[in-house]
Amino acid sequence: MTSSAMTRILRLCAAAGLAISAHWAVPAWAAGAMTTGGLTSQPIGHYDFCKLNPSECNIHPVDLEPAKMTDSLWRRLINVTAKVNAAVKPMSDLDHYGKDEVWAYPDDGYGDCEDYVLEKRRQLYRLGMSLADLLITVVRKPDGEGHSVLTVRTDKGDYVLDNLTDKVKAWDATGYRFLKRQAIDNTGRWVSIRDGQAVLVGSVQ
């Protein structure tokens, strides 16, 4: 092999390595942190979920500091997002349960957006993350439809895990309008985000 051919191969390998590392590396830019308001209504689906799982909705995390963003955490967020998105098949609550707004763990392999969120939250919690940094969040998509995602709080800002993409994005780079999310100090309470308007996901007062 000629030296010029070897040089080309080494350059290609280096470029491939950079592409791979870019996929896993923490972005150079940081997300901002959401501005939250006061207590607000709890989504009806979460209310019913809490009735069935009361121990999950009365947790008061002690450490309220955001998670430290590291290469390891970034890889974990990407892995869990891709793993759950691939493992769970999308199915509406109406088709799945015969009624709307059922929030449940997708243990049978099927679910809608809230169920993906619950599973990602469960897996990251089992990997040692605080529930203060794993917040179920209600948004409005650009087409006006209600949707749920998982917000991960970090010292580099808030990031979103979404069943509609395997990419982990800064919350303000998603194109969504953020309306409400779980409070960081109480898993059974919800707070508003900015001056969110009426939520399209059913709520209870």
Side-chain angles (χ1 to χ4, degrees):
M1 182 180 294
T2 66
S3 60
S4 60
M6 177 62 76
T7 300
R8 285 197 298 272
I9 290 173
L10 291 174
R11 285 175 178 168
L12 287 172
C13 289
L18 287 172
I20 292 170
S21 63
H23 176 72
W24 291 108
V26 177
W29 44 266
M34 294 180 195
T35 301
T36 57
L39 292 176
T40 190
S41 58
Q42 181 183 20
I44 186 65
H46 191 246
Y47 174 80
D48 290 337
F49 173 82
C50 289
K51 287 197 298 184
L52 295 174
N53 305 275
S55 64
E56 293 202 27
C57 299
N58 191 32
I59 298 172
H60 302 265
V62 176
D63 183 4
L64 301 182
E65 291 299 314
K68 181 175 177 57
M69 178 59 82
T70 62
D71 288 346
S72 176
L73 176 57
W74 185 250
R75 289 193 297 270
R76 191 179 310 158
L77 299 182
I78 292 172
N79 281 333
V80 168
T81 297
K83 177 182 175 183
V84 174
N85 285 355
V88 179
K89 306 304 179 188
M91 180 178 289
S92 71
D93 287 334
L94 194 59
D95 290 336
H96 200 177
Y97 301 105
K99 59 180 180 179
D100 289 324
E101 291 303 324
V102 179
W103 292 27
Y105 289 109
D107 293 332
D108 63 356
Y110 296 91
D112 66 357
C113 58
E114 296 90 5
D115 308 333
Y116 285 86
V117 170
L118 288 169
E119 183 59 27
K120 290 171 186 174
R121 180 173 173 267
R122 176 167 68 175
Q123 292 194 20
L124 289 168
Y125 178 62
R126 287 175 174 174
L127 290 172
M129 292 196 69
S130 169
L131 291 178
D133 301 324
L134 302 171
L135 307 172
I136 307 170
T137 305
V138 172
V139 304
R140 191 195 308 272
K141 293 161 55 180
D143 63 5
E145 182 182 1
H147 183 49
S148 292
V149 296
L150 182 66
T151 295
V152 177
R153 295 172 63 239
T154 81
D155 61 350
K156 299 299 183 184
D158 295 342
Y159 290 86
V160 163
L161 278 58
D162 194 343
N163 66 297
L164 300 181
T165 178
D166 286 348
K167 293 182 179 178
V168 176
K169 297 182 179 181
W171 74 279
D172 50 4
T174 60
Y176 296 149
R177 177 172 174 78
F178 286 72
L179 300 172
K180 61 173 71 177
R181 75 181 189 189
Q182 286 177 296
I184 65 173
D185 59 349
N186 186 331
T187 57
R189 293 193 174 187
W190 287 67
V191 294
S192 62
I193 301 172
R194 294 175 174 174
D195 58 349
Q197 299 173 354
V199 182
L200 295 184
V201 174
S203 301
V204 293
Q205 298 301 319

